[in-house]
Amino acid sequence: MGTFDGVHPGHREVLREMSRRGRRTSRPSVLVTFRPHPLQVLRPQDAPRLLTTSSEKKEILAQTGLDYAVFLPFTRALARYTPRRFVEEVLVARMAVKELVIGYDHGFGRGRSGDADTLDAMGAELGFGVQVVPPVVAGGGPVSSSRIRRALLAGDVRAAHTGLGRPYSLRGVVVRGDGRGRRLGFPTANLEIRDSRKLIPGEGIYAVRARLPSGTRDGALHIGPRPTFPGARATIEVHLLDYNADLYGAELQLDLIERLREVRPFASVAELIGHMNEDVRRARRILAEYRNRDSSPQTRSRMAP
């Protein structure tokens, strides 16, 4: 039970523990999560941008071996449920819970007033066990969605990769831009992110792996304004290396591997082109190293479930 935004290693440890217990007792494993994020209903101005949209979360969860995922509609009425009412009406009456697995910092019910001690007491009375999974530590502290968000907003996609256990990705549809990249010798695919709640990393130039309908390509991604050209709008656009096919209307997923540099103005178009050539050279080198590292036996062993 939880929000599970990002489905990071801390979340995955909860899922693994749940699956282990399910197999041991021959019971199905069921994830109970919420849609939309509770803060979008309670305090929209404080709601975090999402690491994973609902569709992305479903795809990731489908690869975990989980039997079922229940996406509860989060409403103001549900937010008013006391911990007792939530447990009795949702977990016991609707889910027939026998064992409940939660993260170490889980809070639930009105004002997040319920916690592990609350569940222990109710479980003893209502007939279910409670297992609390301790934090997973990476990068010098407990893995959390909020830490990953802070890293992404600062453009630190390497730290986000460590926190997520995979590269952070953006998914969108290719739309028509102003064609400026092609005129500069670097044709780009302009990406429209359809879900406005998705977190966009900080402005910058990034080395990315692009997943196309036809396969995977290396690329250099621009996020943010184009200050060399006054009046040009901010964009999310990717230059795919050694690739020049028409992608309008196609859906792309971009895995962000490393930030190359900040966005900055240049004194001339020629200076900009020189820096773009350097961006492409660096992206080639970084992505080749990433592929070699990703295909090594040690990496495959660490990534095994």
Side-chain angles (χ1 to χ4, degrees), residues 137-237:
V137 175
V143 174
S144 72
S145 298
S146 57
R147 279 187 66 203
I148 296 167
R149 290 190 192 97
R150 287 195 295 272
L152 288 169
L153 291 172
D156 191 349
V157 294
R158 276 195 170 189
H161 188 160
T162 299
L164 285 167
R166 65 181 186 280
Y168 185 69
S169 64
L170 293 173
R171 183 179 299 177
V173 175
V174 177
V175 297
R176 292 196 179 275
D178 57 18
R180 195 185 301 272
R182 186 173 297 278
R183 293 195 295 274
L184 296 175
F186 296 87
T188 60
N190 284 257
L191 208 62
E192 180 179 278
I193 309 298
R194 294 288 171 86
D195 193 330
S196 62
R197 298 165 298 177
K198 176 74 173 176
L199 187 148
I200 307 300
E203 296 173 358
I205 312 299
Y206 296 86
V208 300
R209 292 284 285 158
R211 303 189 199 184
L212 288 66
S214 58
T216 305
R217 294 278 179 172
D218 291 347
L221 172 69
H222 169 103
I223 297 177
R226 295 175 289 171
T228 304
F229 304 101
R233 63 182 179 84
T235 59
I236 300 173
E237 54 184 314

Side-chain angles (χ1 to χ4, degrees), residues 54-73:
S54 289
S55 59
E56 290 170 337
K57 191 187 295 186
K58 287 177 183 177
E59 289 182 13
I60 296 169
L61 290 173
Q63 301 168 17
T64 64
L66 185 69
D67 291 316
Y68 300 99
V70 175
F71 285 72
L72 287 178

